[in-house]
Structures are given as structure tokens and as C-alpha cells.
Amino acid sequence: MHEQIARVMYYFDIHLLFASIVACAALALTAMLRASATAKYWIWVATLLNFALPLGALIDKLLASHLHWARPLGLIGDVAFRITQPGPTATVMGSIWLMGAAAMSMRLCLRLRRDVRAMTHESAQDCAPVFLLHGIPVRFAGSQQAPAVDGVLHPHILLPSGIERLLSRHELNAVLMHEVTHARRRDNLIRLIHEAALCILWFHPLVWFAGARLALYRELSCDDSVIQNARGEDLISALAKLAAPARAFTLQASASSFLNRRLARLAGQPQQDLRLASAVLCALFAAALLGGVLETVAHTACCFVLHGGT
């Protein structure tokens, strides 16, 4: 029994080691290279999924007998064996992790419960779709304070009632361009995956940092869709009106996220053609990701020997 627990811990440690190296590569590449915000967003999505999906353990289960080149890392295997030995160390570490996981799971459940209550309240008010935009329902909600996307698998756009009186037609179109990009990409689903990963990996600072990068590039990439349609100035004007304290609406949620960065980017248009730079960035990250996965496989897809067991 202890041998099996130590093996799982070994897989987990190796997976986190190389997922962390890939995350550091993502940080360096997205910070140093000039590329589109959309390319950087998807790089951080891939980084998150690399943390959330332990491919090494899966490949070990399915293909171990065919991977004769795989070799274990004895140092990590020995540490895994020692810290999983029955005793106070294993008990304390297991208890700390379990309390953190329980707290993060409770945090996620409370957020989802609030969202469900809000959606139920909207349904009770008969918040029917006013129109469809690229197949995405758009609704007006009296309780809504800022434009936002609601729903995970079937997203819809919520607008504050009366926003059409506050914003001009061009400004409202710019806001809708931004929000429809969120909805079509299923950004709420990606956010949920990150929050679920945090329930398990709450102790890992790079998983938290990946969430912050996702939030930043999620907004900047949606703004890029507005810039590409020559509506950047309209979005700046809309953000200014929504943020004005004298107005009926307050800027919240995605609208207020990284406001200074967003305004600077929108004001800096016209945007350069970054397709080549983005392709280079993605290729470099793909190489780092592939290397990380192969190294994970190389050190987990094998029948390794732990200190004190086989």
C-alpha cells in the first residue's frame, strides 16, 4: 500500500517539476517577445492545462511496456518514498494539503452557488434574449451593473438595463464585440478549469500566477478584436462612461480588469501586424511544452525502484 502511495507521489512530483519549467518558459516568452495578446492568452491556457492534466501517469498506464528508454529520477523517488512513510511527517503534510483543498473547494462552490442564484433571479424576472449576436444570446438585466458574459457551456451576454441610453450605438457595438469574444471562446469554462485546478494545486504559486496571466491576456485579446474592427476609440469612450462615478453604472468584473493596461493598448492603435511574431512565439512555446511532456514521460513511464521497495 505504501509503495503505491509513494509511486503516486513520485508521478505527482515529476509532473509538477516539468509543468513548472514549462510555466517559467511561458512567463519568459510572453514577457520578452512582442506578439498578439490572443497568442499569449492561448499559451497560458496550454500552460494551465499542462498543470491540470498529468500526461506522464496516463502514458505510463497505457504504454509503459513500450517505453524502454524511460529512466526514473532516483532523488525525487527517494524523497517521495520518505515523505509518504507512515508517521507524523506524512500525517501533517496530508492534513495541510487536505485543509487547503477543502477551503479552495468551498470557495469555488460558494462562487458557483452565487452564480446559480443570480441566473435563477434573472429567469424569475423573465430576462428573455433580446437578440442573437454571432449565435450568442444578448439579454438585458436590471440587476446587472456592467456588461458581462454569464454561463459556462451555453454562455450569454448580459447588459445593464438602460445601457443603450448611456452609450452611443458605436460604443455599444464596441462593448458587444469585446463580450462576444469572451462568449465564443468559452472563457468562463477556462476560468472554471483554473479554479478546479487550484482546488488541488492551491500550494503552487505558478498555478496562481497562471490565473493572473490568463485574466490579463483574456481581456487584452478581447480588446484586440475591437481594435481589428477599428472600434478602439469607441471602446475607450464606453469604458470611460461606464467608469464615471456620477453614472448609474459602475465598472465591475471584466470591464474593470487591468483598466490602465487596456486603455494604454487601445490608445496605442493602429496595431502592428504581429502574425509572424505570434507564430514564432507559439513555435518556441510548443517546443518547450513538448520538451516538458517528453521529460515527464521519460521519468515517469517506467517501472522505477524506490528506496526500500520495488
Side-chain angles (χ1 to χ4, degrees), residues 131-138 154-157 180 183-184 186:
F131 58 91
L132 294 177
L133 184 62
H134 298 288
I136 307 298
V138 179
H154 303 288
H156 55 272
I157 298 172
V180 80
R184 296 178 73 180
R186 301 297 192 274

Side-chain angles (χ1 to χ4, degrees), residues 228-240:
Q228 290 165 7
N229 287 278
R231 295 294 185 191
E233 291 184 0
D234 293 326
L235 185 56
I236 291 175
S237 177
L239 291 175

Side-chain angles (χ1 to χ4, degrees), residues 64-137:
S65 60
H66 303 286
L67 300 174
H68 303 293
W69 47 269
R71 294 291 182 272
L73 283 177
L75 177 61
I76 292 181
D78 187 62
V79 171
F81 182 82
R82 291 180 183 278
I83 65 176
T84 54
Q85 286 272 20
T89 301
T91 301
V92 170
M93 292 185 65
S95 299
I96 292 173
W97 175 83
L98 189 60
M99 287 188 294
M104 294 303 298
S105 298
M106 181 64 70
R107 173 176 177 261
L108 176 57
C109 288
L110 289 174
R111 184 186 73 77
L112 293 176
R113 185 180 179 183
R114 286 195 302 268
D115 291 347
V116 169
R117 283 183 174 179
M119 291 180 66
T120 303
H121 180 66
E122 292 162 14
S123 300
Q125 291 182 325
D126 193 23
C127 183
V130 178
F131 58 91
L132 294 177
L133 184 62
H134 298 288
I136 307 298

